Amino acid sequence: MRVNSAARLSPVCAMVFVFAVGVHAQQKPCVTASKFGPNDQIGNLNYVTPAKTLAASKLITKGKAYRLGIETNKNTPAYGTRTFSITVLQPGQAGGASLGPTKTTYNDDIIAGWVGIGSQIDGLGHAGIDNLYFNCNKAADFTMPDGLKKLGIENVPAVATRGVLLDMAGYFNTDVVKEGTAFNRAEIEGAMKRQGIQSLEKGDVVLFYTGWQRLLGKDNKRFISVNPGLGREGARYLASLEVAMVGADTANFEVIPFENGAGIYEVHQILLALNGIHILENMNTEELVKDQAWEFLFTLGPARITGGVQAFVNPIAIK
Amino acid sequence: MRVNSAARLSPVCAMVFVFAVGVHAQQKPCVTASKFGPNDQIGNLNYVTPAKTLAASKLITKGKAYRLGIETNKNTPAYGTRTFSITVLQPGQAGGASLGPTKTTYNDDIIAGWVGIGSQIDGLGHAGIDNLYFNCNKAADFTMPDGLKKLGIENVPAVATRGVLLDMAGYFNTDVVKEGTAFNRAEIEGAMKRQGIQSLEKGDVVLFYTGWQRLLGKDNKRFISVNPGLGREGARYLASLEVAMVGADTANFEVIPFENGAGIYEVHQILLALNGIHILENMNTEELVKDQAWEFLFTLGPARITGGVQAFVNPIAIK
Amino acid sequence: MRVNSAARLSPVCAMVFVFAVGVHAQQKPCVTASKFGPNDQIGNLNYVTPAKTLAASKLITKGKAYRLGIETNKNTPAYGTRTFSITVLQPGQAGGASLGPTKTTYNDDIIAGWVGIGSQIDGLGHAGIDNLYFNCNKAADFTMPDGLKKLGIENVPAVATRGVLLDMAGYFNTDVVKEGTAFNRAEIEGAMKRQGIQSLEKGDVVLFYTGWQRLLGKDNKRFISVNPGLGREGARYLASLEVAMVGADTANFEVIPFENGAGIYEVHQILLALNGIHILENMNTEELVKDQAWEFLFTLGPARITGGVQAFVNPIAIK
Amino acid sequence: MRVNSAARLSPVCAMVFVFAVGVHAQQKPCVTASKFGPNDQIGNLNYVTPAKTLAASKLITKGKAYRLGIETNKNTPAYGTRTFSITVLQPGQAGGASLGPTKTTYNDDIIAGWVGIGSQIDGLGHAGIDNLYFNCNKAADFTMPDGLKKLGIENVPAVATRGVLLDMAGYFNTDVVKEGTAFNRAEIEGAMKRQGIQSLEKGDVVLFYTGWQRLLGKDNKRFISVNPGLGREGARYLASLEVAMVGADTANFEVIPFENGAGIYEVHQILLALNGIHILENMNTEELVKDQAWEFLFTLGPARITGGVQAFVNPIAIK
């Protein structure tokens, strides 16, 4: 159906139509309109309710807490022209001077760097379709050089919800899933079945484990430029399940090389712009896999930098 | 006792002796030695065990999750010469260019700023005594301009533990506790009694509510330069209870003006350098107070910036 | 004539026609084509030849050298969201450590700031017309987030040429010329006559003195948001004389509020994009005026930051 | 004589004595006292007088102007942990938006980087002796994290003076002088004789050409870590001639490996701290050598960043 309609329509309309699958385009103010209303800035994170959090807390059986963040520093592979550095200094203590009768000395630090490096969350203002972002926000209206005026990362609510880890390496019976391997509905359901996960639910955080972190420091070029990951059909499938966020242990999250006929980072567009689903990158889930901790309480509070597009993160999973 | 001994000893020895109250100095490699051994880098966070986390998770009754972080931006009041800014840009999209067949557009952000601004965690490398930091780490040995080689913030483990909120504003029967009001053992115990909190335990995160955030944006000069807070005796008392971390809704955490005879940020020295207790600043606990949620699961994963001294944080409390 | 033609043509053509006054548009590859050929990146700086420099050196009679740069720091008023800071530290010398047998200690500094603050040169890649920049460079082709690939400030040749100072404050018989006062041909010629300047020549650097620096630190809001300055007719007039660069003692250089019917920073477009004439801002010419040094050797070497759009500058005038 | 005295004195006194050669230590407030008085901040740049500038202008015979600065970018080899990056963006023009009726578009740039990279000037606050800097300025007194309070680079006066280029590669009859080759009085005088330079005078800028820039981009590791250059005796010799500034086409300026018995960057200490002679690094004098332009007008205006320690520079030489 889609192809036929696309053939009859002009290119612009075809693209709109393709993106509008499953939605009655003419009933929405725009293709990226939020189901939560015109003022919504957090998309499916609206599904993380107290009931959801309470239920997720029952998943804790051992009390083991896991850091999902990797380290970020000047050697962390980064996309494009992104750079990162920190500087540590001892203000006002030149020459070894200390302060006061108890000889106080202190270190301070300064960050100068692109946020999209290492373990990060992509805010809903990160990726758009021809400058149209989530919930009908147009770039010209909400992006300023000193911060986003809408969809800024400071809007992310307290995240405490059910986390589900899909062990794709296990599903493909390998240590590291090959780049270009797309996870779509079949793979997702296959992994769930293998791991005994009954369902993916509204408000979940779904993380994919691929083993890709094993390339870090060994083949940084490959690490950053390609990886296995979610495909477009898989993205639409997860969106239909109304999960709150998705993530992976890769830098790019979605499958690269992109699928045949896919746009550039089209999965980011589907998740962020069309469905209000935040994305997490470089999630280190190695230990959760080792413990076979497939379902857990997932918590995350990104630093609330006003107008930020992304944030450095280190979510805590508790099993 | 302390005063008499101080009078008889030389100034240097006096300081060492004063700091060594309660510890047999000659049995430790140095006054800041960790009870967890010479390789320890996380201090009392070692007490956040799975048992502790599991028990803390039982405190969740409603599933309500709270963000403890305030927003950080260029207008956030900051100590000394600290500055902060973010820049948002659209790389490679000058002139409205988009990428690929699905017209991908995206925003990226860059942070240029001192980390010690807004809601933050002070790492154990932040404050020292005459260049001696936690666990006998000497500044010359572990501080480099591109990051700390020991005690870096990337070492902070997954924090999920019992959080306790002491409502000092309620204790003093005011909206905003006056600057210079020191919280020592009597005040801490008095607040606990008033709130019905039975005990403070090993591995807890203890947060003080003072109402001080109400000054933010109204009297930034006063907000940043003074505040009520923990005093030295209170710091030693909490250290004796082996809490894991402490925090407050103020920028400086400890009482300022400093107590009579106190050193400059001496409480920071007592907690960070002498006792391996991390400090949290600008914790927004207003809503927890409103809900009278005194005990809760406290979670925190600071972004793992290698060699960082502090980190921007946004802990999640769950009740 | 222009208005009639504009009325008859479509809006796009009208704009092209307006900009093409004095040029046979159809003979150039584009309206911003350089008369120096398709590979040119420096515009009228091509006119600064050895003969020009030699002649200019003869203007030196006293040997007095003047700094034209003002100080730049975090308090310098800046356009829009621009910020600036420097950090000074003593790397590897925490605790007063020095290096080696002669106890070497040193300070280092770090700049984090927008370049368009304080005394600056606008490169030919700074302002364009609908993303078309000097010499037919389209934004999408030459701007990358890590630097301009054409028209970068590193291309500016060694500048040593005749400098001419037009004392507009003297011309208007005031200390500080009022904002919104436009300098067009009549004012330029009037000032030249008053000062006894015979001519403006190919390859000159023409600087305007208005007294506007006197507002710095006293009324920064007014200082940065408005000023007297070159108007569009004046810009075209100077372009017809083929001067190499222009400058003023104001932050914005061109007259603000803009002239009736003028575009936003249209004079910048006329000079930079259409005529390859670099612009200097915040030129402190107070002392040259005091000495009535109207013609002098003007020298400038902007720091050669690869791909830079602008540069912090401090030209040296020698009389 | 020095060795004998050193053997008889305590280590501290020995160092002071060694540094005090030629000066009656007890008559100066401290070993780094300026001959220009207690308020001096520019050292031998005081010798660049109008008479000096006027005389230097007579050296111009052809009018050829040379850029002495090399390009600085993220690939420029840098000492220690120094990093550099620029970011180019189009503020407020997301989605291709332009401003106003003439469709103004513009690029802006941001620098985030250590200043001591590429062609630079070392200010008198850059290197010291055990935290004692030029003219008795103690680190604790004048260094603040947001800038030097004395000796900041903004104090550098307009520099227009006689420049002299010593062709050391020619002197050693090689393309690139070997690392570790020290230029002392014999080599300096030998080069002058070979080139027919009669004298070095008070207020001169003396530049050394070694060919070292040929390593840039070919062997960056060697380029940054070692080089030929001025030795201690040569430094004292030039100081005795009261030159204003010195420079070289190397990154470190002074000879590395350091001479036997020399301190770490001891030549920097001798020039900057003891004699108030600024240092220029990475001066590209290749073309001056090609033209055998040994004496010329040297001009320099470092950007006047308040409190800066160093500055990115691009001096202009005119022959």
Side-chain angles (χ1 to χ4, degrees), chain A residues 40-88:
Chain A
D40 177 48
Q41 298 192 62
I42 64 172
N44 281 12
L45 281 173
N46 278 291
Y47 289 138
V48 179
T49 61
K52 181 72 179 170
T53 303
L54 185 60
S57 72
K58 310 295 185 197
L59 294 168
I60 299 172
T61 56
K62 295 196 172 68
K64 183 169 179 181
Y66 304 76
R67 289 180 307 191
L68 301 189
I70 66 170
E71 289 190 42
T72 293
N73 51 62
K74 60 186 170 184
N75 297 320
T76 308
Y79 178 83
T81 61
R82 294 173 178 162
T83 55
F84 180 88
S85 76
I86 75 164
T87 301
V88 170

Side-chain angles (χ1 to χ4, degrees), chain A residues 67 71 73-74 82 88 102-105 107-109 111 113 126 128 130-131 145-146 156 264 269 306 309, chain B residues 67 71 73-74 82 88 102-105 107-109 111 113 126 128 130-131 145-146 156 264 269 306 309:
Chain A
R67 289 180 307 191
E71 289 190 42
N73 51 62
K74 60 186 170 184
R82 294 173 178 162
V88 170
T102 54
K103 296 181 173 294
T104 308
T105 52
N107 289 302
D108 241 352
D109 49 346
I111 286 180
H126 178 51
D130 204 12
N131 289 295
D146 59 342
V156 172
I264 294 179
Q269 293 176 304
T306 312
V309 178
Chain B
R67 291 179 306 191
E71 288 190 42
N73 50 63
K74 61 187 170 186
R82 294 174 179 162
V88 169
T102 54
K103 295 180 172 293
T104 308
T105 53
N107 289 302
D108 240 353
D109 48 348
I111 286 179
H126 178 50
D130 204 12
N131 290 295
D146 59 342
V156 171
I264 292 180
Q269 294 176 304
T306 311
V309 178

Side-chain angles (χ1 to χ4, degrees), chain D residues 86-101:
Chain D
I86 75 163
T87 300
V88 170
L89 67 163
Q90 302 77 41
Q93 300 154 69
S98 61
L99 311 169

Side-chain angles (χ1 to χ4, degrees), chain C residues 67 71 73-74 82 88 102-105 107-109 111 113 126 128 130-131 145-146 156 264 269 306 309, chain D residues 67 71 73-74 82 88 102-105 107-109 111 113 126 128 130-131 145-146 156 264 269 306 309:
Chain C
R67 289 179 308 191
E71 288 190 42
N73 50 62
K74 61 186 169 185
R82 295 174 177 162
V88 169
T102 55
K103 294 183 174 291
T104 308
T105 52
N107 289 301
D108 239 354
D109 49 347
I111 286 180
H126 178 51
D130 204 11
N131 288 296
D146 60 342
V156 172
I264 293 180
Q269 294 176 303
T306 311
V309 178
Chain D
R67 292 180 305 191
E71 289 190 42
N73 50 64
K74 61 187 170 185
R82 294 173 178 163
V88 170
T102 54
K103 293 180 174 293
T104 309
T105 52
N107 289 302
D108 240 351
D109 49 348
I111 285 179
H126 178 51
D130 204 12
N131 289 295
D146 60 341
V156 171
I264 293 180
Q269 293 177 303
T306 311
V309 177

Side-chain angles (χ1 to χ4, degrees), chain A residues 211-250:
Chain A
W212 204 249
Q213 288 292 316
R214 298 183 184 203
L215 272 65
L216 191 58
K218 300 198 172 59
D219 191 342
N220 282 348
K221 205 163 178 250
R222 184 175 164 215
F223 173 86
I224 193 64
S225 57
V226 292
N227 50 242
L230 193 63
R232 293 173 295 165
E233 189 226 24
R236 292 188 193 103
Y237 173 56
L238 292 178
S240 73
L241 299 179
E242 301 188 294
V243 301
M245 293 202 304
V246 295
D249 58 348
T250 65

